[in-house]
Structure formats: C-alpha cells, structure tokens
Amino acid sequence: MAAPAVKAVRRWSGLTLGLRSVVLRLPGVTQVRWSRYGPEYRDPQVDKEYYRKPLAELTEEEKYDRELRKTQHIKAAPAMKTSSVFEDPLISKFTNMMMKGGNKVLARSLMTQEVWGSLFHCIPLQTLEALKRKQFEKYHAAPAEEQATIERNPYTIFHQALKNCEPVIGLVPILKGGHFYQVPVPLADRRRRFLAMKWMITECREKKHRRVLMPEKLSHELLQAFQNQGPVIKRKHDMHKMAEANRALAHYRWW
Amino acid sequence: MLETSIPATRPRKKRCTQTSCQAFRRPRAEPRGARKGQAGSRTAPQSLPGVRCLMATPSLRGRLARLGNPRKPILKPNKPLILANRVGERRREKGEATCITEMSVMMACWKQNEFRDEACKKEIQDFFDCASKAEAARKMRSIQGESGNLPPKKLNILLQRFPNKPHVS
C-alpha cells in the first residue's frame, strides 16, 4: 500500500523493517512525541489472565489472535508497566499527571506507599495510606451498625471519587458570526476521566495552605468527592449548569 | 461542435408585443436573483439530491485572442489553460448536531433534581449511549469513504505519479 519510493528509502537506510525514518525536515522544526515503531507493531499484552486461559475455553477469534501474535512484531513494554497484581492503570495515570519535571520518584512516593526506611525517621504520609488511616479511624469510632457502610479500601475510594468527579457534558468554544459561543457537547470517556483527574490535581495544588502537604490535601479531597461533596464536585456541577444555560446553542454543533 | 452554455454576442431579440405571442403574457418563472444554470433557476441541472451533476465543458473555440481569430477575445485567462496535477478538495458535508433530544431530557431531569447525578442515572445513560452510537456511525462513514469516485487525496497522489503532459513528445 505504501508508495514504492517510501519502501526504497526504508531499505536504503539500513534500519530494520518497521522503524520509521525521518520524513519531515524543516529548519527550526523538531518533531517531538513521535514513535519509532511502524503501524504494524502491536502493543504488548501484560495481563497474566490472558495467558492463563486454557486452550479449550478460547473462542475462534482469540485463537486466531494468539496465532497472530506469534508472527507479528510487538513493541517493548514501557518501564512503568508491570504484570503485578498491585498495578492499577488509573493510579499510574494519576501519578503521571501529578509528576512535575520528570520526577517520577516523588510523584509515586506521594501517591503510593514508598518506605524510605533508614534514611528518614518519619515516613511521610502518602495519599492512599492517609485515606486508609482516616477511614479506619472513622470505622473504629463508629457504632456497629455504621461500620458496614464505611468503605476502607483506598483503591475503591479513589476510583469512586474520580468517577463522581467526571463531568457528563462538556463545553466547547465554537466560532459563529465572529463570536465564540460555549456550546454543550458530549465528551469521550477518556476526556471525562482526564478532566476529573485534572480538576482534582489543580484543586489540591492551588487551593491549600502552603504548609499543608499534597497527600493530606489529596486524601481530604478524595474523601469529599467520594461523598459527592467538596470543591471538585462543585466545579463539575458548575460545568453542568453552564451547559444547561447554553442548551439553546447546541445546534451550533455540526457533529 | 455545438455552442453550449457561453453564448457568443448576438443581436438581442425584441420582446414580442402581439397578444397572440406566448411570451407576451408569460410571467417570469424564475426568481429575480437566480442566474442561468445556478441553483434555483430554470436552467439549473435537475437531478436527485446528492448526485454529482456532470456538465459539459464550455467550448474554447474562438474565445481567446490568437492570430487567426478575427473577433474580440471573450476570455482573457491570466494563467495558461493547462490541467493541474491536483483536484480540489471535497466540500465538507453540512452535518447537524446529534443527541439533542437526549440532552434536553437529561437537562430537564437535572433541573428538577438540582443537578444530582444519582437521580438522573437513566437519562445520563441514554445520553451516553446516543453519543457513542453517533461516534461509531461517524467513524463508519469516514472509514467507508466515497462511494464511486476516489477520494481527492488519493487522486492527487495518483496524479503526482502520472502527471499531465502539456507538451507533445
């Protein structure tokens, strides 16, 4: 399907089949955020359950997929992706969004448990640990009937809080007649998840006292969002209210 | 070769004033703004909506200023009349907003329940379903491409490889 000229370039450059050669070369323009993998490369399958399935249970498609994987090129798995049971894609995404200047170590330590052991005498409170501690305190303080309703797993609290923060409808500026109008528009799933995480991180970074640490503030906001209260939920409601006010402009959309 | 849409200069026919003449009392059928051959006029090509109408190329015979041509030039092109090695892009289809009804139902529910999401779960789910269906339909349409003709981008690639030959070799 590719033009013969492009294929010839690939052979001449001596690179292995599938790696892209530099195509665009303009002065003063550097291509960033590009992949050295060609389109035929597949993503690696890190999920152990995929391989544990017995052969008898596989459908035709899955059998075909397995056979195909044996012959196709597969990309290298990124460093942060593991087959561990403790890995959570949402937590990884959130940690990456919290990261500043490539300091993954700091972001990860703020988020999850990282014991720095002998170097420090006091282990700083991390977000998930702080969540768990707060919920356990509540649990032990509460009478027996209420104990069943208190959620103590920090992962479920995290997931539910972010799900509660996701906006249902978004606003998009559309140019019409020389003016920009905020038009209500349905959002894709990934955009909604991104907005929820972005709002949470922005809220925790900006609206706090300077002596309050990030894990403390984050755990507080996550707990509030879990109960459908707090500033992030308020921001989501503000977005919904604006969309409701502008519902007449919905016809400005063309998709 | 027959003269087609571009008329040569001809003496104007005087309007017939006889009462027996059909043109005397015939009212103007066309709206004032429509030009000949354009949309809305009597001479516009009548076809089904969506079907590309194919018009014959207007003739160039005797239109340009050349040595053998005795009359005044009709056309004075500022570029040479040679086919370029690219075609124009397809005009974007005028789309319309999808899922308006689901959105208004959801917003009515919100107004009643003070924007709480737990009270409007069903409406929100309907809205999401509609949005995903619209997205899938749009993707199918873009993958399917054009029925019949090649898309303009592929045509341009083809024309680049096999360009027009303005000379005779």
Side-chain angles (χ1 to χ4, degrees), chain A residues 168-188:
Chain A
V168 169
I169 200 167
L171 291 167
V172 150
I174 289 187
L175 182 65
K176 187 132 177 158
H179 293 277
F180 280 98
Y181 297 101
Q182 295 288 328
V183 173
V185 116
L187 300 169

Side-chain angles (χ1 to χ4, degrees), chain B residues 9-165:
Chain B
T9 45
R10 250 198 310 247
R12 268 240 179 117
K13 236 199 294 190
K14 278 211 183 122
R15 198 178 267 196
C16 178
T17 46
Q18 298 289 328
T19 47
S20 57
C21 180
Q22 279 179 0
F24 181 59
R25 282 213 187 88
R26 190 175 14 153
R28 224 178 228 273
E30 305 169 1
R32 286 242 168 211
R35 283 171 27 231
K36 277 219 186 76
Q38 298 300 314
S41 76
R42 190 180 42 89
T43 48
Q46 301 288 328
S47 59
L48 296 167
V51 170
R52 298 276 159 79
C53 44
L54 305 155
M55 285 174 61
T57 318
S59 91
L60 279 178
R61 181 183 279 265
R63 307 284 201 263
L64 302 172
R66 294 284 178 267
L67 273 177
N69 193 12
R71 59 151 85 94
K72 274 196 300 192
I74 313 288
L75 300 170
K76 295 178 213 173
N78 56 1
K79 289 188 276 276
L81 295 175
I82 298 172
L83 284 177
N85 292 324
R86 48 212 317 267
V87 294
E89 287 292 321
R90 194 163 63 98
R91 265 173 241 116
R92 185 189 70 160
E93 270 169 30
K94 255 194 101 168
E96 46 170 63
T98 49
C99 305
I100 301 266
T101 39
E102 278 86 358
M103 192 179 74
S104 24
V105 161
M106 186 178 68
M107 287 182 169
C109 174
W110 270 344
K111 263 229 138 110
Q112 283 171 355
N113 296 318
E114 293 139 26
F115 291 91
R116 280 183 300 129
D117 281 341
E118 314 84 63
C120 302
K121 271 211 164 70
K122 188 178 160 305
E123 282 83 1
I124 292 173
Q125 197 50 48
D126 289 338
F127 180 62
F128 285 158
D129 292 336
C130 173
S132 43
K133 260 187 272 189
E135 179 69 39
R138 225 181 315 136
K139 220 171 170 193
M140 280 309 296
R141 255 186 289 139
S142 74
I143 284 172
Q144 251 182 3
E146 219 165 313
S147 56
N149 304 328
L150 270 178
K153 290 216 165 70
K154 294 210 171 120
L155 256 179
N156 283 342
I157 294 168
L158 210 59
L159 285 171
Q160 231 177 7
R161 289 165 63 187
F162 305 106
N164 183 33
K165 219 171 73 164

Side-chain angles (χ1 to χ4, degrees), chain A residues 180-247:
Chain A
F180 280 98
Y181 297 101
Q182 295 288 328
V183 173
V185 116
L187 300 169
D189 271 336
R190 54 177 186 272
R191 176 79 186 154
R192 287 172 30 232
R193 281 193 291 262
F194 170 78
L195 278 176
M197 292 194 276
K198 186 82 182 169
W199 288 343
M200 181 66 77
I201 291 172
T202 323
E203 171 66 40
C204 293
R205 273 186 186 157
E206 286 161 18
K207 310 241 180 77
K208 62 178 173 81
H209 186 63
R210 62 182 176 82
R211 300 260 330 192
V212 170
L213 293 172
M214 185 71 167
E216 203 182 308
K217 176 76 179 174
L218 237 192
S219 54
H220 183 246
E221 293 304 331
L222 283 170
L223 274 174
Q224 281 200 306
F226 181 67
Q227 283 137 18
N228 272 315
Q229 293 157 7
V232 192
I233 299 284
K234 186 178 170 302
R235 188 161 172 182
K236 176 183 90 153
H237 285 325
D238 287 343
M239 169 90 115
H240 287 174
K241 279 175 193 160
M242 256 193 83
E244 211 270 323
N246 286 4
R247 66 182 184 274

Side-chain angles (χ1 to χ4, degrees), chain A residues 58-223:
Chain A
L58 296 177
T59 59
E60 283 305 313
E61 288 172 359
E62 286 179 351
K63 276 188 198 147
Y64 178 72
D65 194 52
R66 288 235 183 148
E67 288 298 316
L68 205 59
R69 275 185 171 274
K70 288 178 193 170
T71 50
Q72 282 187 327
H73 293 282
I74 297 184
K75 297 183 201 173
M80 279 290 135
K81 213 162 175 195
T82 57
S83 306
S84 153
V85 290
F86 301 110
E87 159 148 341
D88 193 349
L90 197 63
I91 300 245
S92 317
K93 191 59 106 183
F94 197 80
T95 322
N96 287 341
M97 283 179 71
M98 270 213 301
M99 174 168 63
K100 267 189 180 176
N103 198 347
K104 185 66 149 267
V105 174
L106 180 63
R108 204 153 159 233
S109 71
L110 286 175
M111 194 69 212
T112 59
Q113 183 103 44
E114 256 206 27
V115 183
W116 291 2
S118 53
L119 297 173
F120 297 91
H121 293 289
C122 58
I123 301 165
L125 268 187
Q126 284 76 30
T127 312
L128 294 175
E129 193 189 329
L131 267 179
K132 198 167 179 182
R133 276 177 194 272
K134 284 183 188 168
Q135 291 298 90
F136 265 87
E137 276 169 19
K138 256 194 246 170
Y139 181 83
H140 291 305
E145 319 80 62
E146 276 183 38
Q147 278 183 349
T149 55
I150 294 176
E151 179 62 54
R152 285 174 289 165
N153 186 354
Y155 291 92
T156 39
I157 296 178
F158 182 80
H159 286 249
Q160 190 56 43
L162 283 183
K163 218 161 137 191
N164 290 347
C165 288
E166 280 176 17
V168 169
I169 200 167
L171 291 167
V172 150
I174 289 187
L175 182 65
K176 187 132 177 158
H179 293 277
F180 280 98
Y181 297 101
Q182 295 288 328
V183 173
V185 116
L187 300 169
D189 271 336
R190 54 177 186 272
R191 176 79 186 154
R192 287 172 30 232
R193 281 193 291 262
F194 170 78
L195 278 176
M197 292 194 276
K198 186 82 182 169
W199 288 343
M200 181 66 77
I201 291 172
T202 323
E203 171 66 40
C204 293
R205 273 186 186 157
E206 286 161 18
K207 310 241 180 77
K208 62 178 173 81
H209 186 63
R210 62 182 176 82
R211 300 260 330 192
V212 170
L213 293 172
M214 185 71 167
E216 203 182 308
K217 176 76 179 174
L218 237 192
S219 54
H220 183 246
E221 293 304 331
L222 283 170
L223 274 174

